[in-house]
Amino acid sequence: MTAKEKNTMLLRTEVNKLSSFALWFVGIGFTFIIALMGYGLAKVPGFDHVGQLACAIVIAVIYRQMWRYPERIRSGIEFSSKRLLRFAIILFGLKLNIDVVIHQGLGLLVRDVGTIVFSIFLTVLIAKWLKADASLSLLLGIGTGVCGAAAIAAVSPILKAKEKDTAIGAGIIALVGTIFAIGYTLLRPYIGLTDVQYGIWAGVGLHEIAHVALAAAPGGPDALAMGLLAKLGRVFLLVPLSFILMYWMKRSGKVQEDTKIEFPWFLIGFIMMSIFGSYVLGEYIIISKNIMNDISGLTTFILTMAMVGLGLNVSLNDLRTKAFKPLIAMFITSILLSFLTFLIM
């Protein structure tokens, strides 16, 4: 091979690398744009109760049905659905004040354990009776019991769940959780609970932090504070649940003997950020409430970009044939969970 030919080959290699990087960057930008559209749609009256996560997923699913998956920019989209997803979960740890949970919420933590166990086992049991898709039903049970879409996203790599199942589960949990949160708000004046009791009911029974905030806020500051405290206990339990699921996957033979389950290093990041937010921020590093709100908003937006990447893997045929029965199982579980948690108030 002549020197000229070698130079030509090197030039082509460099061009291919630049082209691959450009397509990767465009893929990330693509998820950013749809996430931005979801954010904007969530500001529209009516859609504001659904939230930007669900709005962005719906837009991504519609795009997939109309124009198919944009294969050329797959690398960037997958970066959003995998890498940015884990980064968002790590940042999500800042929302968990471990000190408050341990010192003020130990009683609520027992209820939270009951909520998680009840939600997972009942959803799986009903799904089995309905002969529903087992993987998606398990994800919905975990999302119902722990913290919605964030929990589904966190455990999906451990359970070896398909990306389309993760996206469908996150979309369903966001939509159903919003319906229940609005239902709690409408029932509040008629159920005879104190503000504190109502806040605990919302925190123990609803799906995501956003749903708890939506439902508890009309009850006043005490209801909101207790609701978020109860909910943070369930977020805290995401970590031990993840390690239990890792053990279960290996013991139950869900994966082959020589198959390695990816260690959820991002959960270690989640714990570290929780510790940092609980014991360093406000004590040694003072950050204004506005900045913390901006970080929270950024976390949600990054998670929205990740959900766009997942939503592009969903086909409407999957929703019709695969998601209906798991949805029924989760809906029944959510109704019974709300009823039982109300009875023990």
Side-chain angles (χ1 to χ4, degrees):
M1 184 181 294
T2 64
K4 184 177 180 181
E5 289 173 334
K6 286 183 179 180
N7 289 334
T8 302
M9 287 185 65
L10 288 172
L11 181 60
R12 285 177 179 173
T13 301
E14 292 301 319
V15 169
N16 288 334
K17 285 182 180 179
L18 287 172
S19 178
S20 297
F21 176 78
L23 291 173
W24 173 81
F25 188 78
V26 170
I28 297 173
F30 183 79
T31 62
F32 175 86
I33 291 171
I34 295 185
L36 199 61
M37 292 170 64
Y39 174 83
L41 183 60
K43 297 294 183 182
V44 177
F47 289 97
D48 55 341
H49 295 305
V50 177
Q52 66 188 61
L53 280 174
C55 288
I57 287 175
V58 169
I59 293 171
V61 171
I62 291 173
Y63 180 94
R64 164 69 186 270
Q65 313 320 307
M66 296 181 68
W67 294 287
R68 299 186 179 182
Y69 192 97
E71 288 290 344
R72 291 196 67 195
I73 55 175
R74 176 180 285 274
S75 61
I77 293 172
E78 290 187 342
F79 179 86
S80 291
S81 66
K82 294 177 180 178
R83 302 297 180 185
L84 289 186
L85 177 60
R86 286 156 175 73
F87 181 61
I89 297 296
I90 291 171
L91 288 180
F92 195 74
L94 284 174
K95 295 185 178 184
L96 174 62
N97 191 314
I98 297 176
D99 191 57
V100 173
V101 172
I102 292 175
H103 289 91
Q104 300 182 35
L106 288 179
L108 291 176
L109 206 59
V110 175
R111 295 188 184 187
D112 291 334
V113 171
T115 292
I116 293 172
V117 173
F118 176 85
S119 299
I120 294 174
F121 278 95
L122 186 61
T123 304
V124 171
L125 185 65
I126 296 173
K128 188 174 182 180
W129 177 64
L130 293 173
K131 296 181 179 178
D133 181 87
S135 175
L136 180 56
S137 299
L138 178 57
L139 288 177
L140 288 174
I142 292 170
T144 300
V146 187
C147 53
I152 290 175
V155 302
S156 289
I158 298 171
L159 297 175
K160 300 292 184 181
K162 297 177 181 177
E163 286 194 352
K164 61 183 179 182
D165 286 350
T166 305
I168 292 172
I172 289 175
I173 208 86
L175 179 59
V176 173
T178 300
I179 293 171
F180 271 76
I182 294 171
Y184 272 48
T185 304
L186 295 175
L187 288 173
R188 187 184 66 83
Y190 308 104
I191 54 180
L193 295 179
T194 65
D195 290 346
V196 169
Q197 288 175 324
Y198 173 72
I200 294 173
W201 183 45
V204 174
L206 287 174
H207 304 72
E208 298 191 12
I209 289 179
H211 299 146
V212 174
L214 173 62
D222 289 340
L224 182 58
M226 291 306 297
L228 292 177
L229 178 59
K231 186 60 185 175
L232 288 176
R234 291 160 68 187
V235 177
F236 175 77
L237 293 170
L238 172 62
V239 176
L241 175 64
S242 297
F243 288 107
I244 290 171
L245 290 173
M246 287 180 66
Y247 176 78
W248 172 72
M249 285 289 286
K250 293 209 169 186
R251 290 283 296 178
S252 63
K254 297 291 183 180
V255 294
Q256 296 178 357
E257 289 287 334
D258 57 347
T259 300
K260 290 185 178 180
I261 297 177
E262 181 183 354
F263 186 84
W265 292 107
F266 59 93
L267 287 180
I268 302 300
F270 173 88
I271 295 172
M272 296 303 295
M273 290 300 285
S274 299
I275 293 172
F276 178 75
S278 302
Y279 303 116
V280 178
L281 289 183
E283 185 71 25
Y284 301 102
I285 301 176
I286 306 300
I287 297 179
S288 70
K289 187 176 180 180
N290 287 337
I291 293 177
M292 289 302 298
N293 288 337
D294 290 340
I295 294 173
S296 177
L298 175 64
T299 301
T300 302
F301 189 80
I302 293 173
L303 186 58
T304 304
M305 288 177 64
M307 290 300 154
V308 170
L310 296 173
L312 289 169
N313 287 293
V314 177
S315 71
L316 288 179
N317 187 57
D318 290 330
L319 291 173
R320 288 195 301 268
T321 61
K322 192 174 185 179
F324 181 70
K325 289 182 179 179
L327 168 62
I328 295 298
M330 176 219 162
F331 201 85
I332 293 172
T333 298
S334 297
I335 291 174
L336 292 175
L337 176 64
S338 295
F339 181 70
L340 291 175
T341 52
F342 174 77
L343 290 180
I344 61 175
M345 283 298 107

